[in-house]
Amino acid sequence: MMPDLFLEERRHIILSPGAILLGGFALNDAEKLLVQIDHLATFSPFRHMITPGGKIMSVAMLSSGTLGWVSDQKGYHYTHTDPKTGKSWPPLPPEFLALAQNAARSAGYHDFKPDSCLVNRYVPGARLTLHQDKDERDQTAPIVSVSLGLAAYFLWGGLQRHEHIKRHKLFHGDVVVWGGHSRLAFHGIAPLEEEIHPLTGSIRYNLTFRKSG
Ligand code: MD3
Ligand code: FE
C-alpha cells in the first residue's frame, strides 16, 4: 500500500520555478469559502472595474482585508476603503486567512501575512488578459491563489510579455503558491468555457491572497 504521505506529495507539482500547485488543497473548505464569498458580497458588492485604458473588465471583483485592489482610469492601486461603498473593505474571514497561511506553509513560506484578498468572479466568456502583479509593496512575499467552481485555463509566460506562454487547467479546490522566480511572471486566464459546476453553476471564483502594504 502506498502511504498517504506519497499520495499527498503527488499533488504538489512545480508549475514553474517558484510556483507550487497544491492540487485539491481547498477541497474540504470549498463550501464554507463559497458561503463566505456570498457574505462578503453583501458588504462590498462584486463590480466590473475600469482599466486605465478605459475598458470594462469582464471579471467582476471585490476585496477583503485592510487593503483592496482597485483599477480605475488613474491606474491600479490598493485602497483602505471600497470606492463603491465609501467604507472599509470587509475584514479577511478567519477561514480565508487560515487556508492561505496553511497553503503558504505547505509551500515553504512559514510567515505569510496577507493583508488583502481579491475575489475574482468569472462567467463564461470572462477572461483576464496577460499581466504582471506588481502593485504590491513587498514583492518577496508569495501570492496564494484558490480556484473554486468552474475550471479555467491559467496562462503564464516569463518576465517579459513576448515569452512563450504555457497553460495549465486549474480546477475547483486547486491552490497555487506563487513565489520566487514566478512572482513577477506574466499570467492570465483564458475565456471561461460554458459549463455547469455542481456548487457554483456557471461561475468560477478565484481568491488571491497578497501582502500588499
Ligand atoms: C502568477 N488572477 O487577480 S490566479 C489576479 O484566476 C490574477 O483570477 C487570476 O491573476 C485568476 O491578479 C490568476 C493565479 C495567479 C495569481 C497571481 C500571480 C498567478 C500568478 C502572480 C504572479 C504569477
Ligand atoms: Fe494576476
Side-chain angles (χ1 to χ4, degrees):
M1 261 273 273
M2 179 118 56
D4 282 353
L5 173 66
F6 293 136
L7 291 175
E8 180 66 29
E9 290 302 315
R10 266 165 24 116
R11 298 197 210 113
H12 294 203
I13 293 168
I14 296 176
L15 290 180
S16 68
I20 300 161
L21 169 68
L22 309 172
F25 192 88
L27 269 182
N28 291 337
D29 293 325
E31 295 189 47
K32 77 178 182 216
L33 297 175
L34 290 168
V35 169
Q36 285 300 329
I37 292 172
D38 284 343
H39 190 56
L40 290 174
T42 67
F43 292 96
S44 274
F46 280 102
R47 82 293 307 266
H48 295 270
M49 297 193 202
I50 313 291
T51 67
K55 293 192 176 137
I56 299 174
M57 297 182 77
S58 58
V59 179
M61 301 175 167
L62 63 77
S63 276
S64 83
T66 55
L67 287 165
W69 185 85
V70 169
S71 176
D72 58 28
Q73 307 266 22
K74 289 181 296 190
Y76 306 136
H77 49 120
Y78 281 93
T79 62
H80 288 274
T81 52
D82 176 350
K84 203 166 168 88
T85 64
K87 293 188 258 187
S88 300
W89 297 102
L92 270 186
E95 299 90 335
F96 276 31
L97 184 62
L99 173 68
Q101 291 187 319
N102 288 339
R105 194 175 312 111
S106 297
Y109 294 94
H110 291 266
D111 52 16
F112 181 49
K113 296 214 168 57
D115 53 21
S116 177
C117 175
L118 176 68
V119 185
N120 293 337
R121 187 183 71 187
Y122 296 75
V123 294
R127 62 197 287 250
L128 203 58
T129 56
L130 281 189
H131 66 278
Q132 291 172 293
D133 290 19
K134 48 181 188 186
D135 307 313
E136 298 73 28
R137 191 196 301 251
D138 174 8
Q139 295 174 350
T140 65
I143 292 179
V144 172
S145 81
V146 180
S147 291
L148 297 169
L150 286 185
Y153 280 104
F154 174 72
L155 312 170
W156 82 99
L159 299 183
Q160 261 137 26
R161 193 179 286 276
H162 62 80
E163 284 177 51
H164 174 72
I165 303 296
K166 288 167 283 190
R167 54 181 223 161
H168 182 87
K169 200 162 190 176
L170 290 176
F171 291 92
H172 177 70
D174 283 352
V175 176
V176 189
V177 180
W178 308 89
H181 191 266
S182 75
R183 175 64 181 76
L184 288 171
F186 274 91
H187 60 278
I189 294 287
L192 198 72
E193 287 165 43
E194 196 87 50
E195 289 173 321
I196 300 292
H197 188 276
L199 292 180
T200 64
S202 57
I203 293 177
R204 170 177 189 261
Y205 293 105
N206 183 263
L207 314 176
T208 51
F209 294 90
R210 305 142 192 271
K211 187 176 184 313
S212 310

